[in-house]
Structure formats: C-alpha cells, structure tokens
Amino acid sequence: MAQGNRMARVAGLVQTTLADILLKESEDARFHMVTITNVSLAKDMSSAKVFVSVWDEEKAKETVAALNNASKFLRHALAKSKIEMRVIPQLHFVYDDSTLRGSRISSLINAALKETKSDEDE
C-alpha cells in the first residue's frame, strides 16, 4: 500500500510541475491552453502517460502531437525543476476527452429533465 501512495504522490508532483512548466517556460502558445488531467506512472517510474485536455477541441490532435514532439524539452525541464528523482520518466501525452464526454452527458441529462418537466406540466 505504501508503494501506491508514493506513486500517487510522485504522479501528482509530476502533474503540477509539468503544468507549471507548460504555463511559464514553454514558448508555444498552444501549451498555455492545455490542462493536465492525470499522470499515470509505470511501476518502475521510467515512463509516464500524461493525460491532457485542450481548450480548443478542434486543435486537440495537433496540440497533443506538438506536446509529444516537445516531450524531450519538457522532460529536461522536469529534470531541472524541484523534482528529485533518480530517473525522470519519459513523457507520452494522451488526449483526455473525459471533460467533453462529461459535458455531453450533462447536456443530455438536462434535456431529458426539461422534457420530463414539460410532460408533467401538460
């Protein structure tokens, strides 16, 4: 259980540090519109899947591709940051569409509630 807690703490630290790097150190304006939703570390911490959501959904593929192209720069910036790890994980960025799916489900629920309410009023 202690290993799981450590993994979660390290993943959270990688997440917040990467978010800070994307906001403050990157020169690509697309990276400023990215939210890191989750970080999943491999058991040996040699690689990390970084799940991101993008403000402009139409440019999501392009932005994720740019993040993967910049992964070496971001890994280097992560190594220079306050994180003290023996091995800095290789970063693999993955698009996370959970916020988009969540808003779609929410709008469907709202539409169903409005329909139910209008049926009750009749």
Side-chain angles (χ1 to χ4, degrees):
M1 189 65 161
Q3 181 68 11
N5 289 337
R6 180 173 182 263
M7 293 283 281
R9 282 194 322 268
V10 171
L13 185 60
V14 168
Q15 180 177 352
T16 56
T17 306
L18 264 179
D20 194 45
I21 291 168
L22 288 175
L23 188 61
K24 296 178 181 173
E25 294 182 29
S26 75
E27 295 176 7
D28 194 332
R30 294 174 293 190
F31 297 170
H32 298 210
M33 299 298 186
V34 168
T35 301
I36 300 176
T37 58
N38 195 15
V39 173
S40 175
L41 288 169
K43 287 186 180 187
D44 63 356
M45 295 190 196
S46 65
S47 67
K49 274 188 184 176
V50 182
F51 295 91
V52 296
S53 65
V54 181
W55 186 73
D56 188 2
E57 298 294 331
E58 291 145 6
K59 296 183 179 180
K61 278 188 176 182
E62 175 187 327
T63 303
V64 171
L67 284 166
N68 280 313
N69 286 338
S71 65
K72 287 183 182 179
F73 161 76
L74 295 171
R75 183 179 184 209
H76 181 71
L78 198 59
K80 290 182 0 182
S81 70
K82 62 184 175 185
I83 293 182
E84 294 180 15
M85 294 177 66
R86 202 174 302 152
V87 176
I88 300 296
Q90 291 196 5
L91 306 173
H92 305 284
F93 291 90
V94 179
Y95 177 63
D96 182 8
D97 67 344
S98 62
T99 54
L100 184 63
R101 286 185 287 137
S103 68
R104 206 175 300 143
I105 289 170
S106 179
S107 66
L108 288 171
I109 290 172
N110 289 338
L113 288 174
K114 284 181 184 177
E115 187 176 305
T116 303
K117 186 175 181 179
S118 66
D119 287 347
E120 289 175 357
D121 291 341
E122 292 177 0

